[in-house]
Amino acid sequence: MGDRNAAERPYRNDAFISYHHASDSAKAAHLRRGLQNFARSWRQLRALRVFLDKDSLSANPGLWPEIERQLADSGAFILLACPGSADSEWVRKEADWWRTGLGPRKMLIAVTGGELVWDHDRGDFDWERTTCLPRTMAGMFTDEPRWVDLRWMSEDDPGSLRDPRFQQCVADLAAPLHGRPKEDLIGADVAQHRKTRRLARGALAVITTLAVLAGAASVVAVLQRDEARRQARLATSRQLAATALNLKDGNLRLASLLGIEAYRMQKSPETVTALHRLATDSPHLVGTVSAAEDISTLAYSNQDQRSIAVGDEGGAVAVWRGDGRSVRARTALPGGITAAAFGPDDRLLAVGDERGNLGVYDLTARKLRRLAPMPKGVASMDIGLAGDLVVADQDGTVSLYEGARKKIRTKRTGHHTGRVLFQDEEAYVLIRDVVGGGGLYTTPDLRTVDDDSDQIHVPAGQHTSAVSTGGHCFGYLKYGIFTASELALDIGSTQFADTCAKFPSLPNEEAMGLALTDQGRMAIATDAGITLVDAETDGQSSQVRTLTGLGPADLMVFSGSGTRLASGHGRTAALWDVEQASRTAHRHGLALVDEATVAVTPPLALGPDGRLAWSNRLTGEPDDPRPSLHIRDPKGGVVKGGNDDFLYDALALSRDGRTLYAGRAGEVQEWRTEGKALVQRRTIALTGSGRWPQGTSWAVAPKSLATLADGSLAVAAEDGSVHLAAPGTSRTRVMVPPAADNPADVPPPPTLSTDGLTAAVVNRTGGADVYDVRSGRKLQSVRLKGEAVFNVALAGAGRTLFLSGTRHTLARWDLDRRRFGWLSDESHGARVVASDDGRTVVTLADSGALTRWDADTGDQLGGPELPIPPDTLAGTGSIGEHTSLAVADSGTVWTATEGGEVLSWEFSVPAWIDGLCRIAARSLTETEWRHYVGTTPPSRPTCG
């Protein structure tokens, strides 16, 4: 876009600015903008076309022809005079060129620095005092030229274009360029500026109006776009969650990753439920580990939970922690690994490959020692108590290595080796065949004691056989029937006949692999997973479980105790803990006894710093004294007290965790922690008692205890009464009268808020009343439509009430708003417990089902089943009746089961994701992401 009269101009440039780059670059650019904008019409791009060369001219003589062309095409020459320009070779050349052309005519000077003095007597500049012009300009002017003073301007901050001083200087220079008087030009500039402002205001008003309309439209569009994206994310997350649940039985690793991504994509009840189901599925699975190639060998250390060796077909061996969380060591042999065995103290690991190569790896020194090889591929090996090594190859050749170093004896036995083991403190070597026979040999000479290698103990086909971990049991499975094979050998008191347990008949399913323990446990690999079978005993019937989630197992091995199982499928090994109750449960070694013939619920109480109190004896404790009170401090072990056979009904820990309040019929005892013991300090009697129909009284038992900030103790009793005991007093004061006078009419147990200020009591009409404990004033009454309240729980500092109904309704009542937040069905008539902050709500059914609920929506998120105690006097039909639970703000749920144990359960999403990542042991691949999600994968990994 050019000027309006550009076609009438004799020159392309109205002016050419010559300046010293180091001194006046910013001033030159500022002056150029001022000349272009001064007296400019709103229809013009610029008022004047001014040439300004901002490129460096210091070392490129090829630029001079272009400078000459620009000078020749300019109508005026503006010199920015300063000491720097006076010494500049380029400024001198430009001024000399202009002098030889148009001469002093149309040369304008703007002084930016130095001195400019005119000598009127000589008719020239006073060159003794002038410091801002090149000396070659001497004699150029006969009359004093027009010049403006810009020495007030700063090179760092030239100022505003509308500065009055700058405007005057620009007018002085622009007047001859426009060919108009300065006064007219200033007036035109003012008029044009006002006109431009009016036009700008009008344009701004129009633009503002259009912007508002466009903004409103864009807001609507953005909202619609965001809603569309949200709906797309929701649909994709639901699809991923559904796919994860469909895959979990056959591929739990991939299902876990899809479930995590579904939750991250959209945090909804559906994705939380999917996460929880994935986290609780396959409860015996501890973790998975991966190998570079297909896994060919698995071997547990002698300390079950410490290590497992994983060898693959590429010759690599990795020693993992028993839970699969980290690698302890790595080594390798030239061929595919076919056998491995740990030493008795787990410091040595012997490995053998398909080519007969042998190595002993020192896990302490982290060095592999190669041994003399076997004639054929290694089939089995064992390290004895004295550190000797016995190895059998695939042709039945057996070799002894003294100290797991030097080969001292080799014998060809002719066995189809299934397992070779030391026996009777290394006095013998036992070989068990894969077809059922075996042999016994002395050490170190390998003299034959007994040999049954010519006997075949398996049918012709369609069977799966195995040798137990200790070599005492051999058997095969066919048509779902396990048949044991006797080995007529005796070693002192050890007899190998009838050493296999009696297993029940199983469903006729295709068995692809078999593993046995010496303790009466069998694992069967099938297409559906692994079937785990415990043998029948005199006191217990057989138990059959299914281990799913990792596909069919190609190989399986038990630990020495039979409580751990490792299975390999392709490049993945799955680690199982047969005695683990759930992957979300943590055992703490706190097994509880059951000495009552009726169901007893061991009470629980949470305190600060992770302290937990319960009332029940632990197994293994001495009979006398018989502590019935315990406090578990994660940092200091278990504190014991209450040397009494009588169990307590309710517990509460003080705010500092050092005082335990234990309530039983008619009283509350105060116990103080002193070292590792609980010492009783005082007893607080409960005021009042109930009456039997015959007129005799009965002492009511506390069902809920809570400490107040001032040291008072609140007590909610089984008859619905609420008591308050001031600090230091020995008797309670009844704040809320009992809801029942007859023990036959005892209502569901009342509850207290954690701070002890609020109580919820089930009344005689089936509703729930909420009281202020300190005043005894009833705050509210709540009823469930069409059913009676079965259980209540207070949360959120007493501002939220959860109610469980007799017809399977679970509801949340907001005490501040006096209305239901939600009502849900299928609570199974369960007890309800909530964390103090109200974010975690859990119910416990009589069947032992633990269920977490979404505290905001009332959606059922699922949960695990409590483990059934193996031996309990109270029976196992209603495990919920003899299990108590408590919920921490962290989302951890604690349970205590009579005849069972104290367990903690992870009910938080971060804990579930962490556990699922341990199972997956990897992240989604790009191919998997594109296949299941259908988009470009994110940069962040699913796990890690």
Side-chain angles (χ1 to χ4, degrees):
M1 185 177 172
D3 299 333
R4 183 175 57 180
N5 58 350
E8 303 173 2
R9 292 180 174 176
Y11 303 102
R12 176 176 175 80
N13 303 319
D14 293 298
F16 180 101
I17 295 180
S18 179
Y19 65 102
H20 182 236
H21 284 260
S23 305
D24 293 332
S25 291
K27 295 177 184 177
H30 200 60
L31 178 62
R32 179 174 182 260
R33 288 194 296 271
L35 291 170
Q36 288 175 336
N37 291 319
F38 192 77
R40 178 179 63 87
S41 170
W42 67 273
R43 292 169 296 184
Q44 292 178 298
L45 178 63
R46 60 183 69 85
L48 295 172
R49 185 183 296 274
V50 180
F51 176 79
L52 179 66
D53 188 359
K54 290 187 176 181
D55 297 329
S56 174
L57 305 176
S58 61
N60 192 353
L63 292 175
W64 178 247
E66 176 62 25
I67 294 296
E68 285 186 306
R69 284 193 293 272
Q70 295 296 336
L71 285 167
D73 208 10
S74 299
F77 186 88
I78 301 175
L79 173 62
L80 300 189
C82 69
S85 61
D87 296 333
S88 172
E89 181 67 21
W90 284 97
V91 173
R92 181 188 63 75
K93 289 178 67 174
E94 292 166 355
D96 289 349
W97 190 97
W98 191 264
R99 181 176 184 174
T100 60
L102 295 179
R105 187 168 57 89
K106 291 290 186 177
M107 176 175 275
L108 307 175
I109 300 174
V111 179
T112 62
E115 297 295 331
L116 182 64
V117 182
W118 180 260
D119 189 338
H120 291 280
D121 294 335
R122 295 181 181 179
D124 198 357
F125 293 106
D126 185 346
W127 294 103
E128 297 297 327
R129 298 165 60 188
T130 299
T131 61
C132 61
L133 295 177
R135 292 298 295 266
T136 57
M137 292 179 63
M140 184 176 180
F141 295 91
T142 57
D143 295 315
E144 183 177 3
R146 178 183 303 207
W147 64 282
V148 297
D149 191 352
L150 293 177
R151 286 176 290 188
W152 54 270
M153 291 178 64
S154 168
E155 174 67 10
D156 295 332
D157 185 12
S160 170
L161 293 177
R162 305 306 299 178
D163 188 325
R165 292 181 297 172
F166 183 68
Q167 288 286 298
Q168 288 293 328
C169 295
V170 170
D172 285 335
L173 295 173
L177 299 180
H178 282 278
R180 298 174 62 184
K182 175 181 176 181
E183 292 77 8
D184 294 348
L185 198 61
I186 291 176
D189 178 69
V190 173
Q192 288 294 341
H193 182 64
R194 290 174 178 173
K195 187 175 183 180
T196 301
R197 290 181 63 184
R198 287 196 300 271
L199 290 173
R201 289 193 189 101
L204 180 62
V206 173
I207 292 173
T208 301
T209 301
L210 293 176
V212 170
L213 295 176
S218 65
V219 168
V220 173
V222 168
L223 292 175
Q224 291 176 339
R225 180 205 64 188
D226 291 345
E227 178 62 19
R229 289 179 176 177
R230 192 189 71 81
Q231 291 295 336
R233 286 196 306 272
L234 180 61
T236 304
S237 70
R238 287 175 173 173
Q239 180 181 356
L240 285 177
T243 303
L245 294 178
N246 287 334
L247 291 174
K248 68 180 179 64
D249 289 338
N251 194 343
L252 185 59
R253 303 178 77 199
L254 176 59
S256 299
L257 297 173
L258 295 179
I260 293 171
E261 291 295 351
Y263 173 79
R264 287 176 176 167
M265 192 169 294
Q266 187 71 41
K267 297 176 177 59
S268 64
E270 293 87 352
T271 57
V272 174
T273 301
L275 269 183
H276 191 263
R277 288 187 60 186
L278 292 168
T280 55
D281 199 64
S282 255
H284 303 301
L285 184 61
V286 174
T288 62
V289 299
S290 298
E293 298 193 30
D294 286 353
I295 295 172
S296 54
T297 297
L298 296 167
Y300 268 107
S301 65
N302 290 288
Q303 300 177 16
D304 286 353
Q305 300 185 27
R306 185 177 180 184
S307 304
I308 182 169
V310 180
D312 65 29
E313 294 180 354
V317 180
V319 180
W320 292 80
R321 275 180 44 180
D323 56 9
R325 294 196 181 188
S326 62
V327 176
R328 295 185 57 203
R330 293 185 186 274
T331 189
L333 289 178
I337 306 301
T338 53
F342 283 90
D345 57 1
D346 293 342
R347 293 179 58 187
L348 298 179
L349 172 68
V351 290
D353 69 11
E354 61 189 356
R355 303 176 187 175
N357 295 299
L358 291 172
V360 176
Y361 186 82
D362 190 321
L363 293 169
T364 303
R366 295 185 177 275
K367 291 183 179 180
L368 178 69
R369 182 174 64 252
R370 295 287 294 272
L371 304 182
M374 297 293 291
K376 298 291 185 178
V378 178
S380 178
M381 55 178 50
D382 187 28
I383 300 179
L385 295 175
D388 294 336
L389 173 67
V390 59
V391 183
D393 69 9
Q394 295 168 354
D395 281 353
T397 299
V398 178
S399 296
L400 279 174
Y401 296 79
E402 186 177 18
R405 291 177 178 271
K406 179 182 178 182
K407 183 188 291 188
I408 60 173
R409 180 67 173 160
T410 296
K411 181 172 184 176
R412 184 175 180 85
T413 65
H415 291 282
H416 303 283
T417 310
R419 183 153 297 170
V420 59
L421 295 153
F422 282 112
Q423 297 289 319
D424 201 16
E425 298 182 356
E426 296 187 40
Y428 301 93
V429 170
L430 172 68
I431 300 177
R432 294 303 302 258
D433 285 346
V434 295
V435 294
L440 191 65
Y441 304 88
T442 61
T443 60
D445 54 1
L446 295 182
R447 180 176 55 84
T448 303
V449 176
D450 200 346
D451 190 348
D452 194 20
S453 59
D454 58 344
Q455 297 297 318
I456 297 178
H457 299 264
V458 295
Q462 295 184 337
H463 71 277
T464 301
S465 62
V467 179
S468 65
T469 50
H472 289 195
C473 178
F474 172 86
Y476 62 89
L477 190 70
K478 184 173 183 177
Y479 303 140
I481 300 174
F482 177 78
T483 303
S485 171
E486 295 184 359
L487 188 62
L489 300 176
D490 287 332
I491 306 176
S493 61
T494 303
Q495 295 182 353
F496 289 89
D498 297 327
T499 53
C500 289
K502 293 179 172 57
F503 293 98
S505 297
L506 301 171
N508 186 14
E509 54 184 328
E510 189 69 24
M512 299 180 295
L514 186 67
L516 295 169
T517 73
D518 292 317
Q519 295 81 19
R521 183 166 284 152
M522 176 170 58
I524 308 166
T526 69
D527 284 332
I530 299 174
T531 300
L532 195 67
V533 185
D534 289 337
E536 300 174 350
T537 62
D538 294 337
Q540 190 173 352
S541 60
S542 177
Q543 184 179 4
V544 179
R545 289 167 281 181
T546 301
L547 311 182
T548 61
L550 276 299
D554 301 321
L555 69 160
M556 299 179 297
V557 61
F558 277 104
S559 65
S561 67
T563 61
R564 294 267 178 157
L565 174 70
S567 62
H569 175 61
R571 299 181 180 182
T572 301
L575 309 178
W576 311 85
D577 184 347
V578 178
E579 296 185 349
Q580 179 175 272
S582 169
R583 286 194 286 115
T584 60
H586 300 285
R587 306 180 68 180
H588 304 279
L590 304 174
L592 307 182
V593 301
D594 179 12
E595 298 176 321
T597 56
V598 296
V600 174
T601 305
L604 283 173
L606 294 174
D609 303 324
R611 287 183 175 90
L612 178 77
W614 71 91
S615 173
N616 203 100
R617 290 186 61 219
L618 292 173
T619 59
E621 289 179 329
D623 292 338
D624 190 22
R626 302 166 65 89
S628 56
L629 293 176
H630 299 79
I631 298 178
R632 176 186 177 271
D633 186 344
K635 299 178 181 179
V638 177
V639 180
K640 304 176 182 180
N643 300 329
D644 195 323
D645 288 343
F646 199 91
L647 299 178
Y648 294 83
D649 298 290
L651 301 175
L653 281 164
S654 63
R655 305 196 173 198
D656 63 2
R658 297 185 58 82
T659 301
L660 175 65
Y661 295 94
R664 62 182 187 179
E667 65 182 25
V668 177
Q669 298 173 0
E670 180 183 299
W671 296 79
R672 185 73 174 174
T673 300
E674 294 185 4
K676 293 293 184 179
L678 285 169
V679 178
Q680 186 175 353
R681 290 300 181 88
R682 63 172 175 149
T683 299
I684 305 170
L686 296 186
T687 301
S689 61
R691 289 281 177 181
W692 291 92
Q694 298 84 358
T696 57
S697 62
W698 56 286
V700 295
K703 287 300 181 181
S704 181
L705 304 175
T707 57
L708 280 66
D710 62 359
S712 300
L713 178 69
V715 183
E718 62 180 333
D719 63 352
S721 61
V722 179
H723 303 240
L724 188 64
T729 59
S730 60
R731 181 169 290 276
T732 64
R733 186 160 54 99
V734 178
M735 308 306 299
V736 177
D741 295 326
N742 191 323
D745 299 328
V746 171
T751 186
L752 296 165
S753 60
T754 304
D755 58 14
L757 299 177
T758 311
V761 179
V762 179
N763 57 39
R764 299 184 183 186
T765 62
D769 298 327
V770 181
Y771 292 89
D772 176 79
V773 173
R774 288 179 296 187
S775 65
R777 181 171 58 92
K778 182 188 294 186
L779 302 176
Q780 296 179 37
S781 291
V782 186
R783 294 191 63 86
L784 291 174
K785 185 177 180 180
E787 60 186 306
V789 174
F790 178 77
N791 210 294
V792 290
L794 283 165
R799 308 319 305 162
T800 302
L801 179 66
F802 294 96
L803 307 99
S804 176
T806 55
R807 295 186 178 179
H808 314 308
T809 296
L810 181 66
R812 171 178 175 166
W813 176 265
D814 190 316
L815 275 77
D816 291 328
R817 298 182 179 181
R818 294 177 176 264
R819 66 182 186 186
F820 285 108
W822 45 260
L823 291 95
S824 295
D825 295 332
E826 302 301 328
S827 70
H828 311 297
R831 280 182 287 147
V832 55
V833 180
S835 60
D836 186 40
D837 60 7
R839 303 307 307 160
T840 305
V841 185
V842 178
T843 58
L844 173 61
D846 288 342
S847 63
L850 275 174
T851 305
R852 183 185 175 187
W853 301 75
D854 190 303
D856 295 325
T857 65
D859 290 305
Q860 188 175 172
L861 304 180
E865 297 281 340
L866 289 175
I868 303 296
D871 186 18
T872 173
L873 297 176
T876 60
S878 300
I879 186 174
E881 292 184 11
H882 49 111
T883 298
S884 60
L885 67 162
V887 185
D889 285 344
S890 62
T892 300
V893 177
W894 290 86
T895 62
T897 303
E898 179 192 22
E901 59 186 316
V902 177
L903 298 172
S904 61
W905 305 77
E906 295 293 351
F907 272 80
S908 65
V909 169
W912 297 341
I913 292 177
D914 180 64
L916 292 176
C917 283
R918 289 201 303 272
I919 295 302
R922 64 178 181 88
S923 295
L924 278 176
T925 65
E926 181 176 348
T927 301
E928 290 170 339
W929 181 276
R930 294 184 183 278
H931 177 73
Y932 290 101
V933 184
T935 62
T936 302
S939 58
R940 54 140 181 86
T942 305
C943 295

